[in-house]
Structure formats: structure tokens, C-alpha cells
Amino acid sequence: MTHAETAGAPAGDVATEQASHGKSSLPLLTLGAIGVVYGDIGTSPIYAFREAMAVRPGVAATETEVLGLLSLIVWALALTVAFKYVFFVTRADNNGEGGTLSLMALARKTFDKPPVWITALGVAGAAMFYGDAMITPAISVLSAVEGLELVAPNMSRWVVPITLVIILGVFFVQRFGTGKVGVVFGPITAVWFLVMGSIGLYHIVQNPFVLWALNPYHGIEFLATHANIAFVVMGAVFLAVTGAEALYVDLGHFGRKPIVLAWFGLVFPCLLLNYFGQGAFVLNVGPENVVSPFFEMHPDWALGPFVALATMATIIASQAVISGVFSLTQQAIALNLLPRMIVQHTSQDQRGQIYMPQINTIIMIMVLIMVVSFGSSTAISSAYGIAVSGIMVVTLALLLVVMRRNWKWPLGGVIAFGLLYLVIDGGFFAVNSAKIVQGGWVPVAVALFVSLLMVSWMTGRNRLAEKTRRDEVPLEFLVENLAKKKPTVVPGTAIFLTSDVEGAPTALLHSLKHYKVLHEQNVILTVRTSTSPRVPDDEKVTIDAYNNLFFRVVVTFGFMEEPNIPKALALARKLGWKFDIMSTSFFLSRRSLKLGQKSGPIRFWQDRLFIRLARNASDATEYFHIPTGRVVEIGTQLII
């Protein structure tokens, strides 16, 4: 069973938050946003300033160099996160939902026939998120555990094994859901930010000169006087803003207001204080005496507890990324970008709490390989950034479409905004592209592979749909002929699932051919996916009668909703349809796909990949929550 798209009406931001979050208080939502939304960017201070300092020539750190690096980090955070994402990107909500695929769906709504390049951008952004998700847990947890080397130098050889055990534990608990652990994410991450800000403030008081880094002139001067390493330095500076995309991805869970309050009320100030504190510490003790300023700036007595706190913070950051992958995959399946997969809901009360065993296993294996292959957070940092910067470029392109066509911005304003961030985001993407040889090829390879899967799946589905339409009998023609010459009619209701609203379902044709009977009620059911994340109950089901024997029912789900057919059909009672699940049979076509003889080399491997994906897709009965005892599957063979 497949989906099609239909338009949905956007709702206002305030109304969306009220509908989504009900009576939840603003302070609790803000605290939750601190834990889930900002866990990733909150761990960036562990390695961002360290890597930026490491690429300087020589060992001497002049005040000009420290101020320059701090200025670049500060303004990267201000322009990319505070200005672009908080003020603009989070406003581009699709009925309250965010993320690359949600933004793609929002942009597609503005076209009668959406151009292919918008879908291509959505595919590229989603594919790069998978690449990012395989690096973030590895670099975050590994960078925190490396703090043990400062507490006990003889623990160096245990850093990688301990990291592997922690990562295995993180992925193992996914099956239990994050609902129970999630309640402590916010408080722990809030403590993390407060501790980071406090130690940073302590060192700023020791050397307040570093506050001059607020002047962007120092960053520009650094790039001008270090032109030979500017490219590499900006790649390290970009590490400070990795995690910014989480503001948009998790928009639907918390709403815009809590995310904005959390950023300006706690996260942004504490990040700035910590980065400035690291700079002050380096100037006070001398760079030749510093290996990891983030950890070494703490007193010896606090180092052990702080390493433990850092490890918890990185686990939370990893958890947020893993949950994001589950949500993204669910959206991709609903939008026909990937085949059906098993989706397990781990909470009856909180939406979005899902677990996907296949995705969990794949991501876990890749993260473990990353840790073992690279062995240190410094080595992994070479591979980090290219996927995130690519997502930012995709987000910018889709945002410009929304600005012009949804928000009705004047063309001059769209061009000005686009040029500004083409320089910033495009520059970050360019500098991170230079890391491809050092390890950046890993997320690129992952993104290309996922893109290949998505393109092959979409192409195969379209080709299969065209072939099916050519072979099927028009439904209206069949209904007219059956009305003139009725076969034997038996009691009960038969529901035939089909993605084609015009053709007669294959299961219906084969049922007539072999059984030569009709039920007293025959329902042609089509499931569609809206470009809106959720569809109101009163708009979810439409019913049209062909005659007394045949009815057309269209069920529309939002791309963030669980496609539960029995629950949706229960809504049809309000429309006058007397529906009894116990006297209803669901007829599904199970297609066995075979390769055709005439195909070129590209078509050959693409068809093979599509057939493999189709065979591994989860069962339609399970995916649509149809009672297994009410399902009749009729097999057919198709040559593609």
C-alpha cells in the first residue's frame, strides 16, 4: 500500500502551540527544550575552541589571535543560530512542525505542480542528516570520556572501550522509549550550561580583556592576517554551531516560544561565557601549557565530577540526535521517500515517542565503527561539519522559497537575505568540504547512499504505479458493468486497499476472477499523506458512493501521524457509514516483483535495488494497524 500527497491548510504559530502542547506550562516546555533541543550544541565547547587553537602556526598565542578566534566563534553563533535559525527558520513552521522534510513539504504547497528541485533539496537534506547522526554520538561521547585522561593519565587506553560501552548502552535503551529518561534531560542539561557558564565567568573575571572579542573587527583581522590557514580555522569555528539544526527539527515537540526563551535565557549566554572563559584561561596560563582548555580550566578537585557531568550531557546530545533520526525516517516513509519500516510507539501519552529497530541497529553499528576507526575526537572532528553545513545550505534554499511564496517578502529582501547567508552558509560548506580527504568523505558517502536509496525508491514506485495503471481496468467501468450484471452477493463488508483512485484494485479483480462473488458493501480505500504534519479528524475521511454496492473512501493522514486505518475508519461513523470491524474483510494485493529482460545498466541496478527495498519493506497489515485476522492477501506477479 502506498501514499499520495494532498494539500493541507497551514495553521498559525500560536494556535499550533496551543493545540500541540495543551496545558503544558511554559517553564516546563522551556526546560524540556534545554535538554532535547540544545543538548548537541551544548557539547560543542568541549572541542570547538580547542580545535580552532590547534590549527594555528607555532605555539605562541598572542592576545590578537585569541581575540580573533573568539570573535569568529561568537559571531558564528550570533549570525547562524541566534539570527538565522531563531528569528527566521523557526517561523517557517508547517502546522507547528519543523525539519528539512517539513520545510520541503511547506515549500511544495505553494506550487500547483511542485518542481523536482524542491524534492531533490529535501532528499539531500534528509540524507545528510543521517550522515550527521552517525558522527554526533561518536564525537560527543568520545570527547567527554577523553577528559578521563586528565583525571588519570593511565586511563588513556581505556577511553575508546569505555566510549563503546556507553554508546552500546545508549542504543540498547532506545527500545524502552525516552519518555521516562526524558524528564531528567532538561534539569541535567540546565545544570551543564550553568556550570559551563559559571567556570567561564570565573576566568573572565581573571582576564576581562577577552570581552573585546565581541568586536567583529578582531575576527576579520584574524582572517586577514592568517589567510594561509583561514580556511582550516573556519572549519574548526564551525564546530561551535553544529547542533543548530536541532532548533528547527524539534520545533513540533516544544513550540517556538520555549525554544527562543531557552536560547536567549540560558543557552546563548552560557555558551558565550564558556568560550570567553576558555580564551581567558589560555591567555593566563599560556597555550604551551594547555591541551584541552575546556577541561583544564576547572580546578583539580572538580575535574572528576565535571567529566561525569560532561559524559551525561553528551549522552543526552546523542539521544536527541537518535530520536531525530527516528522522526525523520517516519516522515520520509510517509512522504514516499523510503519503504515502510517497523515503527513502535513507546508512549501512549506523548506524541513523537517512537522506536525503529532497523534504523537503531544501522546507526549503532555505524557509530561504533566511527569510534574504532578514528579513535579520538580530534580525528573525528575532521569528518564533522560537512553534513551539518550541507543541511544549512539546503535549509536556506527552501527558506528562501517560503519567504517569497508563503510570506510574500519583496524580491529585494529575499535576494539580500539569500546573499548574506549564501556567503555564511556557503562559506562554511566550502571550508568543511576541504575536510573530505581527512575523513569528511564518511558522511558524504552515507548521504550519497541514502540519497541513492530514496531516489531508487521514488523512481521504482512511479514506474510501478504507471505499469499498474496501464494494466488495471478503470474503476467506474467495472462498477457500471457489475451494476448491470451482478454476481452473487454475500453478507459483510469488503475493503480493498489501493493507491490509485482511478483504477480498479488488483485485489478486487482477482477476487471476482477466483471467488465470483461480491460483498454487500465494497469499499475502495485509498490512503493519502498530506503535506501538513497533522490532519484534523473532521477532515481525515471522505466518503463517496458509486451505488449501493460500491463506495470510495479516502483517508488522509498528516506526515507526522501514525497511519492507523481502523481508528480512521471509526471516524466514518460520523459521516453515516455503519462500520463494524468484526464483519469486515480487508483485501490487500501482495506484489511479487520480477526484473524485465530489456533494461540498460543504470535501469538494471536501480530496479534490483527497488525490488530489494520492496521485499524488505514492513508488512502493510502491521504498518496500517489492520487486525491480522481480518486480512485477505492476494498475490500477483509484476515485471518491471
Side-chain angles (χ1 to χ4, degrees):
M1 177 64 199
T2 54
H3 305 285
E5 277 190 0
T6 185
D13 194 81
V14 175
T16 299
E17 287 189 27
Q18 290 175 347
S20 300
H21 309 299
K23 299 180 180 179
S24 297
S25 66
L26 184 60
L28 287 177
L29 286 171
T30 304
L31 186 62
I34 291 171
V36 176
V37 176
Y38 296 110
D40 189 1
I41 200 170
T43 57
S44 296
I46 299 177
Y47 45 81
F49 185 69
R50 179 194 72 193
E51 296 304 318
M53 291 291 295
V55 297
R56 295 172 305 104
V59 294
T62 65
E63 292 178 343
T64 302
E65 283 185 318
V66 171
L67 291 182
L69 291 173
L70 288 176
S71 182
L72 291 172
I73 289 175
V74 167
W75 285 99
L77 285 168
L79 291 174
T80 301
V81 186
F83 189 68
K84 177 189 171 185
Y85 273 89
V86 173
F87 282 135
F88 291 101
V89 176
T90 55
R91 293 181 185 275
D93 70 294
N94 190 347
N95 282 18
E97 295 293 338
T100 304
L101 293 181
S102 182
L103 186 60
M104 177 198 75
L106 186 63
R108 286 173 60 93
K109 285 182 184 180
T110 63
F111 296 90
D112 294 330
K113 187 177 180 181
V116 175
W117 61 266
I118 289 184
T119 304
L121 284 174
V123 168
M128 285 186 283
F129 189 83
Y130 285 95
D132 175 39
M134 293 173 184
I135 297 180
T136 297
I139 190 173
S140 298
V141 177
L142 194 53
S143 63
V145 177
E146 284 172 346
L148 288 174
E149 296 176 330
L150 302 175
V151 179
N154 60 343
M155 292 288 291
S156 297
R157 61 194 179 95
W158 292 101
V159 168
V160 170
I162 291 173
T163 301
L164 295 176
V165 170
I166 292 174
I167 288 173
L168 281 170
V170 169
F171 282 95
F172 178 76
V173 300
Q174 296 303 311
R175 69 189 65 198
F176 303 112
T178 57
K180 295 180 179 178
V181 238
V183 296
V184 299
F185 281 8
I188 291 176
T189 311
V191 170
W192 166 254
F193 279 114
L194 289 171
V195 171
M196 283 201 305
S198 299
I199 192 64
L201 180 61
Y202 171 80
H203 287 284
I204 291 171
V205 171
Q206 307 299 314
N207 193 343
F209 178 77
V210 294
L211 293 176
W212 282 106
L214 289 170
N215 186 344
Y217 169 78
H218 294 289
I220 297 171
E221 182 187 32
F222 180 92
L223 294 178
T225 56
H226 295 73
N228 58 324
I229 61 168
F231 221 59
V232 184
V233 168
M234 289 306 295
V237 167
F238 181 75
L239 296 174
V241 300
T242 53
E245 69 282 356
L247 276 83
Y248 191 42
V249 171
D250 292 310
L251 186 64
H253 293 285
F254 302 98
R256 184 171 183 272
K257 192 172 183 180
I259 289 175
V260 173
L261 286 176
W263 173 256
F264 287 109
L266 179 69
V267 177
F268 194 31
C270 288
L271 286 175
L272 294 183
L273 287 173
N274 190 266
Y275 282 119
F276 282 132
Q278 289 188 55
F281 174 75
V282 169
L283 289 179
N284 287 339
V285 304
E288 66 279 1
N289 301 316
V290 179
V291 176
S292 179
F294 180 80
F295 287 111
E296 294 177 33
M297 66 194 292
H298 294 80
D300 292 340
W301 61 267
L303 193 54
F306 187 72
V307 169
L309 179 61
T311 303
M312 285 190 287
T314 55
I315 290 173
I316 292 171
S318 303
Q319 174 62 60
V321 172
I322 296 167
S323 299
V325 173
F326 294 159
S327 297
L328 180 75
T329 305
Q330 184 186 33
Q331 292 182 35
I333 293 170
L335 293 171
N336 290 322
L337 301 179
L338 286 174
R340 293 186 303 266
M341 299 182 200
I342 297 172
V343 179
Q344 299 176 4
H345 291 260
T346 58
S347 173
Q348 296 180 349
D349 305 317
Q350 189 175 356
R351 77 183 190 193
Q353 292 287 328
I354 61 174
Y355 168 64
M356 305 187 72
Q358 295 161 296
I359 297 297
N360 190 67
T361 301
I362 293 171
I363 298 292
M364 179 188 69
I365 292 172
M366 292 302 296
V367 172
L368 294 175
I369 291 174
M370 294 287 291
V371 172
V372 173
S373 300
F374 287 91
S376 71
S377 61
T378 298
I380 296 181
S381 68
S382 299
Y384 202 27
I386 188 167
V388 182
S389 58
I391 295 171
M392 290 182 176
V393 171
V394 168
T395 300
L396 173 63
L398 293 173
L399 179 65
L400 294 177
V401 175
V402 172
M403 284 178 165
R404 179 61 177 162
R405 299 181 65 89
N406 287 60
W407 300 347
K408 308 302 181 184
W409 272 34
L411 184 60
V414 175
I415 292 174
F417 186 91
L419 288 177
L420 170 64
Y421 280 98
L422 181 61
V423 172
I424 297 173
D425 294 344
F428 278 136
F429 184 71
V431 299
N432 281 290
S433 297
K435 299 179 180 180
I436 287 182
V437 177
Q438 288 78 25
W441 63 270
V442 176
V444 171
V446 171
L448 288 174
F449 179 70
V450 175
S451 297
L452 174 64
L453 292 180
M454 290 182 173
V455 171
S456 298
W457 179 251
M458 289 188 293
T459 303
R461 279 190 68 259
N462 292 335
R463 191 178 297 134
L464 185 61
E466 290 175 6
K467 182 173 179 58
T468 303
R469 272 194 293 270
R470 289 196 303 267
D471 296 341
E472 284 182 346
V473 177
L475 181 60
E476 290 192 7
F477 174 79
L478 179 66
V479 169
E480 290 174 2
N481 278 271
L482 290 174
K484 295 175 183 176
K485 187 179 180 182
K486 288 184 182 179
T488 304
V489 176
V490 296
T493 299
I495 296 180
F496 298 91
L497 274 71
T498 178
S499 59
D500 185 4
V501 295
E502 302 294 336
T506 304
L508 172 59
L509 295 175
H510 281 263
S511 176
L512 287 169
K513 177 181 178 181
H514 295 288
Y515 305 140
K516 298 179 176 57
V517 297
L518 275 180
H519 288 71
E520 58 187 357
Q521 282 193 102
N522 299 275
V523 178
I524 312 302
L525 176 64
T526 298
V527 177
R528 289 178 170 174
T529 301
S530 172
T531 52
S532 297
R534 286 173 178 80
V535 176
D537 285 351
D538 56 354
E539 300 175 14
K540 199 177 291 293
V541 181
T542 60
I543 300 177
D544 294 305
Y546 289 102
N547 52 37
N548 292 333
L549 283 175
F550 284 92
F551 300 85
R552 157 70 65 195
V553 176
V554 177
V555 178
T556 305
F557 294 104
F559 64 79
M560 288 292 291
E561 290 184 293
E562 177 185 12
N564 190 312
I565 285 181
K567 284 185 178 180
L569 293 182
L571 299 173
R573 292 192 179 98
K574 298 179 181 178
L575 301 177
W577 181 26
K578 297 179 181 179
F579 172 72
D580 180 11
I581 190 73
M582 298 312 297
S583 63
T584 300
S585 298
F586 291 84
F587 287 81
L588 281 69
S589 298
R590 179 175 288 276
R591 296 183 176 121
S592 177
L593 304 179
K594 304 292 183 182
L595 278 174
Q597 297 296 322
K598 298 179 180 180
S599 62
I602 296 179
R603 169 81 177 268
F604 177 77
W605 64 255
Q606 199 170 46
D607 284 347
R608 286 180 66 90
L609 181 56
F610 172 69
I611 291 173
R612 180 62 60 88
L613 290 172
R615 287 175 180 170
N616 290 322
S618 65
D619 188 65
T621 303
E622 181 180 6
Y623 184 75
F624 291 113
H625 299 272
I626 303 171
T628 54
R630 310 306 309 170
V631 174
V632 178
E633 289 190 348
I634 299 178
T636 59
Q637 282 194 358
L638 279 176
I639 298 176
I640 60 172

